Amino acid sequence: MERQQDGRRRRTRADYERGLPDYHDPTAGFGGAAPTYSALTLRAVLAAFGLVFAVGAAWIGFAYDFPLLAWAMVVVAAIALGDLAWVLYRKRRGEPG
């Protein structure tokens, strides 16, 4: 069993495939509720929608001479692309959701 430098057990692909219970949910198990799991697919869809929308808005901003809107949308598109890349990395790693 491999250990990280801080002494915790290193997670395996099987751990991620099972899901990480109580992940980002401080109220998990409260009142008999089942533990929640990360909604990565929803997050990927929303990031892809944000990316497409921001690229389209940036294109319209540049085409109709609204440079402030265009550059703001370029920044939003870059953030959405980074988020989408991170979510797809986590899904490829085997996390459910």
Side-chain angles (χ1 to χ4, degrees):
M1 176 181 338
E2 284 187 52
R3 297 247 177 219
Q4 294 177 353
Q5 289 180 349
D6 61 358
R8 292 182 293 150
R9 184 178 66 86
R10 182 178 298 270
R11 289 193 173 118
T12 64
R13 181 172 291 277
D15 292 332
Y16 288 112
E17 287 172 357
R18 270 193 311 275
L20 305 176
D22 302 331
Y23 186 72
H24 293 303
D25 186 10
T27 63
F30 181 73
T36 59
Y37 295 95
S38 178
L40 287 177
T41 303
L42 175 62
R43 188 170 156 195
V45 168
L46 292 174
F49 174 78
L51 178 63
V52 169
F53 177 82
V55 167
W59 179 78
I60 289 171
F62 284 123
Y64 290 101
D65 200 27
F66 292 111
L68 186 61
L69 170 72
W71 286 110
M73 289 297 106
V74 167
V75 170
V76 171
I79 292 169
L81 180 63
D83 185 44
L84 182 60
W86 181 250
V87 170
L88 293 178
Y89 164 76
R90 287 177 56 187
K91 295 244 346 144
R92 189 176 56 113
R93 180 170 73 173
E95 288 187 44

